[in-house]
């Protein structure tokens, strides 16, 4: 190459880089999509109850497919009910940069959890197509199915399927015993062929998930972008305490085997694991049921859950074993029987250093301050990390509220996060 040719080539690269750095998403269009999606699944209490594999979620997914088609993009639904939006009519055969989250909600949830990441992924695809920006790996947006597990209690269904970690899918039923088979088929999936949803090794070059923080850190520090360093692991334990049901008026206090009193002490023990003993990041009893539940009866049985979360897998294992041991000893002293079953374990994961760097550089190009932080909530990225590098971007949540109708992030913050996603994807 001659000197003049080399200069011209360098000038072309510089122009391209300059043009690329100047590209921004269409914030007005993205916010309009979020507004429209907030009309699907509105409940009587002012929130969104767009549960996975319901007609409300089906409508939201149909809107996304139509929006993609209007932009000249294609869409595909796999056997697990995951919705993919992509350039061209079919999913590419070459490695992809996957971007997205989920559009199902908890009961009486908010409008941004999950949905924001999917809409931002779609907006990035549209922006890339409009500006004809080349990428090292093909961009694809995804709406993973049944992340929340609010109706069919099998959370992360779609991302577990893609990553080859879906266990006993034929056993998935809702709380009335109805199989997931028909709702999955209505969404475009196929329970009998669900193994075909697994992505082959190397197909996913990277996964980027943009999400509201669902906590107070970014807002309290006045920082617009969080670079997620890892996602906490989570263990759920279910306890059943069996005492002796008896008359509340005639049973002396020193002769009682009160299941609720023992359960109440267990509740305080769970709280103390993190609040006082600092053995794990957080610990919660979120469900407690008492039988027979009458004012004049000493309770004979109580059921409760204990959930512990931490970014260190060893700490989770130690706390789980310790809680079992201490509960057994305390039950013996109180004259009650306790059984414990661990119903869920999800391992903590670290996000990919290279993707953290890509997010930081993207934010720097946009003059947006960042802070590195862990995620205290679970996300589809946690499942995808088993098969691909993952990165996560957070934007602030007003008052740290999520999973509630009051969930809110300012429009400018939503657009800023989408622009960081766009420029991080260009680097992936």
């Amino acid at each position: 190459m001659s000197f003049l040719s080399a200069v011209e080539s360098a000038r072309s690269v510089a122009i391209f880089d300059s043009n690329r750095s100047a590209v921004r998403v269409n914030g007005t269009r993205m916010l309009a999509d979020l507004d429209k999606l907030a009309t699907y699944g509105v409940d009587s209490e002012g929130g969104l109850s767009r549960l996975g594999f319901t007609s409300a979620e089906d409508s939201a997914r149909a809107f996304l497919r139509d929006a993609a088609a209007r932009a000249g993009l294609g869409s595909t639904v796999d056997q697990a009910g995951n919705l993919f939006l992509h350039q061209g009519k079919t999913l590419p055969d070459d490695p992809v940069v996957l971007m997205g989250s989920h559009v199902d909600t908890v009961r009486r949830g908010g409008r941004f959890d999950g949905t924001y990441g999917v809409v931002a992924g779609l907006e990035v695809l549209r922006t890339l197509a409009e500006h004809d920006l080349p990428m090292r790996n093909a961009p694809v947006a995804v709406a993973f199915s049944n992340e929340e597990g609010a109706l069919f209690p099998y959370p992360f269904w779609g991302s577990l399927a893609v990553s080859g970690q879906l266990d006993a899918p034929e056993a998935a039923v809702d709380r009335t015993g109805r199989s997931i088979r028909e709702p999955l088929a209505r969404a475009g999936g196929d329970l009998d062929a669900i193994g075909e949803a697994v992505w082959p090794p190397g197909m996913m070059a990277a996964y980027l998930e943009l999400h509201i923080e669902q906590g107070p850190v970014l807002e309290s520090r006045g920082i617009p972008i969080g670079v997620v360093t890892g996602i906490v692991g989570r263990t759920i334990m279910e306890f059943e305490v069996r005492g002796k049901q008896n008359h509340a008026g005639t049973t002396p206090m020193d002769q009682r085997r009160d299941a609720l009193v023992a359960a109440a002490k267990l509740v305080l023990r769970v709280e103390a694991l993190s609040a006082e003993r600092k053995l794990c990041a957080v610990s919660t009893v979120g469900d407690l049921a008492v039988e027979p539940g009458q004012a004049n009866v000493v309770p004979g049985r109580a059921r409760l859950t204990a959930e512990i979360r931490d970014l260190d897998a060893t700490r989770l294992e130690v706390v789980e074993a310790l809680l079992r041991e201490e509960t057994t000893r305390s039950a013996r002293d109180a004259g009650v029987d306790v059984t414990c079953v661990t119903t869920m374990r999800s391992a903590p994961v670290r996000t990919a250093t290279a993707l953290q760097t890509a997010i930081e550089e993207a934010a720097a190009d946009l003059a947006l301050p960042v802070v590195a932080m862990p995620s205290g909530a679970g996300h589809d990225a946690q499942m995808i990390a088993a098969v691909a590098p993952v990165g996560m971007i957070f934007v602030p949540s007003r008052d740290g509220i999520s999973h509630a109708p009051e969930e809110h992030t300012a429009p400018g913050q939503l657009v800023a996060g989408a622009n960081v996603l766009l420029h991080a994807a260009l680097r992936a």
Side-chain angles (χ1 to χ4, degrees):
M1 179 184 294
S2 69
F3 174 75
L4 289 177
S5 297
V7 169
E8 186 60 33
S9 177
R11 183 181 296 117
S12 298
V13 171
I15 292 171
F16 170 74
D17 286 344
S18 175
N19 290 340
R20 187 170 74 164
S21 65
V23 172
R24 300 291 184 271
V25 300
N26 185 329
T28 300
R29 179 172 60 192
M30 183 187 76
L31 295 173
D33 286 347
L34 285 168
D35 286 342
K36 180 61 177 179
L37 283 167
T39 66
Y40 299 115
V42 176
D43 58 39
S44 60
E45 297 178 312
L48 285 182
S49 292
R50 192 168 61 228
L51 312 189
F53 296 121
T54 64
S55 59
E57 191 202 27
D58 291 344
S59 297
R61 288 156 52 97
F63 169 79
L64 290 168
R65 298 188 76 167
D66 289 344
R70 289 194 299 272
L73 302 170
S75 61
T76 302
V77 177
D78 71 5
Q79 295 82 357
N82 296 308
L83 171 62
F84 299 95
L85 309 175
H86 42 78
Q87 298 171 339
K89 294 182 179 180
T90 61
L91 277 168
D93 295 326
D94 298 325
V96 308
V97 173
L98 194 64
M99 302 166 286
S101 193
H102 60 96
V103 295
D104 64 309
T105 73
V106 298
R107 298 181 188 275
R108 197 170 173 266
R111 59 184 296 187
F112 298 115
D113 175 10
T115 303
Y116 168 49
V118 176
V119 172
L122 168 61
E123 180 54 34
V124 167
L125 282 181
R126 292 186 293 210
T127 302
L128 291 170
E130 289 167 352
H131 293 271
D132 193 24
L133 294 177
M135 288 183 61
R136 184 181 302 111
N137 299 292
V140 174
V142 62
F144 284 117
S145 57
N146 202 46
E147 192 266 2
E148 299 288 4
L151 178 61
F152 291 92
Y154 204 138
F156 305 110
W157 170 273
S159 52
L160 285 170
V162 165
S163 58
Q165 302 177 84
L166 199 61
D167 184 42
E170 67 282 350
V173 297
D174 68 10
R175 301 183 193 283
T176 69
R178 179 178 59 131
S179 170
I180 201 172
R181 180 178 297 276
E182 188 279 328
L184 174 61
R186 191 183 64 236
D190 184 348
L191 190 62
D192 294 326
I194 202 163
E196 297 175 22
V198 179
W199 280 37
M203 183 63 186
M204 202 182 306
Y207 173 64
L208 290 168
E209 185 165 356
L210 174 62
H211 211 281
I212 59 171
E213 181 196 344
Q214 301 180 278
V217 174
L218 292 175
E219 183 183 54
S220 65
R221 297 182 61 174
I223 296 177
I225 299 295
V227 182
V228 178
T229 56
I231 305 169
V232 298
R234 180 183 180 206
T235 301
I236 299 177
M237 307 167 73
E238 293 187 357
F239 293 87
E240 181 175 333
V241 184
R242 296 179 302 280
K244 179 67 174 179
Q245 180 176 328
N246 215 331
H247 197 293
T250 62
T251 308
M253 299 301 291
D254 63 352
Q255 295 183 32
R256 296 186 177 199
R257 295 170 55 203
D258 191 320
L260 179 54
V261 169
K265 292 178 180 178
L266 177 54
V267 170
L268 296 176
R269 187 178 300 114
V270 171
E271 181 191 38
L273 290 170
S274 55
E276 299 171 14
R277 302 168 72 180
K278 311 300 182 185
L279 298 176
C280 57
V282 292
S283 50
T284 308
V285 172
D287 188 23
L288 173 63
V290 183
E291 296 179 14
Q294 294 180 212
N296 61 344
V297 179
V298 176
R301 183 159 64 169
R303 296 188 182 90
L304 65 155
T305 61
E307 184 199 70
I308 53 177
R309 300 190 187 208
D310 201 90
L311 202 53
D312 187 300
T314 300
R315 279 162 60 93
L316 287 173
E317 293 173 4
V318 169
V319 170
E320 179 184 348
L322 182 66
L323 188 55
R324 284 178 180 274
E325 177 189 339
E326 293 182 349
T327 300
T328 300
R329 184 170 61 248
S330 176
R332 184 171 58 247
D333 294 342
V336 298
D337 296 318
V338 176
T339 57
C340 172
V341 177
T342 298
T343 58
M344 177 182 177
R345 292 187 187 95
S346 63
V349 302
R350 300 283 179 175
T351 56
T353 301
L355 293 179
Q356 290 181 37
T357 300
I359 294 165
E360 290 167 355
E361 290 177 347
D365 282 353
L366 297 162
L368 295 169
V370 303
V371 62
M373 60 188 299
S375 171
H379 300 284
D380 286 307
Q382 193 168 6
M383 310 304 139
I384 297 301
V387 295
V390 301
M392 284 201 72
I393 307 162
F394 277 171
V395 295
S397 292
R398 186 175 65 188
D399 298 327
I401 296 174
S402 183
H403 281 191
E406 296 80 15
E407 181 179 273
H408 181 75
T409 297
Q413 294 170 332
L414 295 170
V415 175
N419 279 317
V420 173
L421 175 65
L422 167 64
H423 286 274
L426 285 167
R427 287 170 164 82

